[in-house]
Amino acid sequence: MVSSSASSQPPQLKSRIGAILRATSGNFLEQFDFFLFGFYASTIAKAFFPAQDETAALLNTFGVFWLGALMRPVGAIVLGAYIDQIGRRKGLIVTLAIMAAGTVTIAVCPTYATIGVAAPVIVLIGRLLQGFSAGVELGGVSVYLSEIATPGNKGFYTSFQSASQQVAIFVAAILGYVLSETMSPDVIASWGWRIPFFVGCLIIPFIFLLRRTLEETPEFLAMKKHPTTSEVFSSAAANWKIIVLGMMIAVLTTTTFYFVTVYTPTFGKSVLKLSTQDALIVTVLVAVTNFIWNPVGGALSDRIGRKPVLLTIACLSLVTAYPALHWLVANPTFGKMLAVEMMLSFYFGIYSGTMLGALVEVVPTHVRTTCFSLAFALAAGLFGTFTPFASTLLIDHTGDKASPGYWLMCAAVLGIIATLTVYRGGKTMAAQEAVAASS
């Protein structure tokens, strides 16, 4: 089934800037909480996952972080089908409500010392709710931005999905820095770490207000027929190849992002033995540069094409990720960590700004949210959010503090293979199949 557009002129948005702000507001809450969970991983490990060995406790925490992400594909299928059927606006309000429930659950959960084994179970439930919602949040927002984009600027518009998340990283890092300057480590470990989570809870009503005034996209309103849930599932199953290739393209985005944001504070403090303040300052600067490079990548890909940008960044990451980390860990300093993180931030921003536009274009239009969300959810669930766990495990088993570079290199290889496959002959695989079907 292929949906068609009405012959009449579709309704137009009142303000594209306002639509961008309303659509991306939910990303703030999602990434704000994700970053906090990563930054306070050591503290959360002690509060909810006590263990004799610090590494074991940290692995338990990152394991729960990853398990929550494994709910992303489920959310992508269930909520993606819902959004493709009833509309972008209503769907994005639902995802925000589920995300908010998970955030509040983690913020108010008592510690292991208070309620025992129920504590990690409750935290896991909160993470599962967040993962379920996040499975379609990014896809829903990216599709929305793509559908409201002006001609020739889809890459630039969709890049603001990822760019908006960097604002959350920036705010969370600033909050963490203020707390580390005003509270003792013991106070932060006891209860101070909850303050940023409560801040996230307090901004939920404001984000709901923004989402409620979100307009439906003209492209969705112009469709004569919307697919039923069963039709969405059938079409997604029929397009499993492009979903897998889309996942492979997105892997480099997700692994690099979770390394430079969620894992960097732990890497800086626990592995490189730098101060909390140093790790936070680096994270703040990474958030700023991520915000800048994302729209640059999207606009660049609008001008010269998605394929050359994706291949260039993936190849650079392949040959520089491990050498850069090896140079850093040989004699870790604040300046060297900043330099490496700035390099990875550049890779992430340019690649992510391009990848979002590419992924929207290669999936079938009538099930766009489901297929996009599922491809990205698989990349984030199987690879991206596994990055902190994988990095900790690699360092623990190999004794090589630069070994997370191998993880980033594998992601780059997957991106190169998928990009060459999807864009073979200068056209996307989907475009070639469409031509073959019509002939």
Side-chain angles (χ1 to χ4, degrees):
M1 184 202 72
V2 178
S3 300
S4 57
S5 296
S7 58
S8 58
Q9 181 70 18
Q12 297 300 305
L13 294 173
K14 296 177 182 178
S15 168
R16 280 187 170 82
I17 295 178
I20 291 173
L21 292 175
R22 291 179 177 88
T24 57
S25 61
N27 284 307
F28 180 95
L29 179 62
E30 173 194 341
Q31 207 52 58
F32 183 81
D33 189 71
F34 270 46
F35 171 79
L36 290 177
F37 199 95
F39 176 70
Y40 289 108
S42 300
T43 303
I44 291 174
K46 295 175 183 177
F48 300 110
F49 307 96
Q52 296 297 322
D53 181 66
E54 183 177 346
T55 300
L58 196 57
L59 285 173
N60 286 336
T61 304
F62 283 139
V64 169
F65 183 80
W66 181 51
L67 286 174
L70 291 181
M71 282 296 290
R72 284 184 174 227
V74 180
I77 295 173
V78 177
L79 296 178
Y82 179 73
I83 291 177
D84 278 328
Q85 183 179 5
I86 59 95
R88 318 308 187 202
R89 176 186 177 275
K90 292 180 180 178
L92 289 176
I93 292 176
V94 171
T95 63
L96 178 60
I98 299 173
M99 176 63 69
T103 299
V104 173
T105 298
I106 295 175
V108 302
C109 180
T111 64
Y112 185 92
T114 304
I115 60 173
V117 73
V121 173
I122 293 174
V123 171
L124 176 59
I125 292 173
R127 287 290 302 130
L128 293 177
L129 287 173
Q130 290 177 329
F132 183 74
S133 170
V136 80
E137 173 71 21
L138 184 144
V141 172
S142 298
V143 168
Y144 184 93
L145 295 176
S146 174
E147 291 183 354
I148 68 170
T150 54
N153 293 300
K154 285 187 179 295
F156 179 69
Y157 270 71
T158 54
S159 70
F160 279 97
Q161 185 284 324
S162 183
S164 67
Q165 293 182 334
Q166 312 316 312
V167 179
I169 301 297
F170 179 84
V171 174
I174 290 294
L175 276 174
Y177 183 83
V178 171
L179 288 179
S180 67
E181 288 291 310
T182 57
M183 292 183 174
S184 67
D186 291 339
V187 172
I188 292 176
S190 176
W191 58 269
W193 65 271
R194 293 184 187 268
I195 294 176
F197 284 91
F198 284 126
V199 171
C201 294
L202 291 175
I203 64 174
I204 289 173
F206 175 69
I207 298 176
F208 262 113
L209 182 62
L210 290 176
R211 277 280 170 92
R212 284 187 61 189
T213 58
L214 187 68
E215 300 173 77
E216 187 55 82
T217 69
E219 186 172 333
F220 183 85
L221 291 174
M223 290 182 181
K224 290 181 178 179
K225 186 179 185 301
H226 303 298
T228 63
T229 301
S230 61
E231 289 171 336
V232 171
F233 289 162
S234 298
S235 185
N239 290 279
W240 67 270
K241 289 183 181 179
I242 195 63
I243 291 175
V244 171
L245 288 169
M247 175 200 73
M248 291 170 64
I249 290 177
V251 164
L252 184 57
T253 290
T254 60
T255 53
T256 307
F257 175 75
Y258 281 98
F259 185 87
V260 300
T261 56
V262 174
Y263 182 64
T264 285
T266 300
F267 186 64
K269 292 183 297 180
S270 302
V271 179
L272 303 182
K273 305 304 179 182
L274 299 176
S275 69
T276 298
Q277 289 82 353
D278 284 348
L280 278 170
I281 290 173
V282 169
T283 305
V284 168
L285 295 176
V286 163
V288 173
T289 53
N290 283 352
F291 182 85
I292 295 171
W293 290 126
N294 264 279
V296 171
L300 182 64
S301 68
D302 284 331
R303 302 300 179 266
I304 69 174
R306 318 290 187 215
K307 179 181 179 181
V309 180
L310 293 174
L311 285 178
T312 299
I313 297 300
C315 289
L316 285 173
S317 183
L318 176 63
V319 300
T320 62
Y322 182 82
L325 288 178
H326 182 74
W327 172 73
L328 168 61
V329 302
N331 182 28
T333 64
F334 171 80
K336 291 174 71 172
M337 183 178 181
L338 180 61
V340 172
E341 292 291 317
M342 289 296 100
M343 180 193 77
L344 295 176
S345 172
F346 172 76
Y347 292 168
F348 161 74
I350 298 296
Y351 191 91
S352 176
T354 302
M355 181 278 301
L356 291 170
L359 199 53
V360 170
E361 292 169 348
V362 301
V363 297
T365 303
H366 62 292
V367 287
R368 183 177 280 162
T369 304
T370 304
C371 290
F372 182 109
S373 299
L374 185 54
F376 195 90
L378 288 170
L382 299 178
F383 296 91
T385 50
F386 189 61
T387 296
F389 186 94
S391 298
T392 303
L393 201 63
L394 281 169
I395 293 172
D396 185 57
H397 279 262
T398 66
D400 181 3
K401 296 179 180 179
S403 57
Y406 295 129
W407 183 249
L408 299 178
M409 291 170 66
C410 289
V413 170
L414 292 177
I416 292 170
I417 294 172
T419 300
L420 290 174
T421 304
V422 170
Y423 290 95
R424 61 176 182 261
K427 294 182 178 180
T428 66
M429 190 172 72
Q432 294 177 19
E433 292 177 350
V435 172
S438 63
S439 60

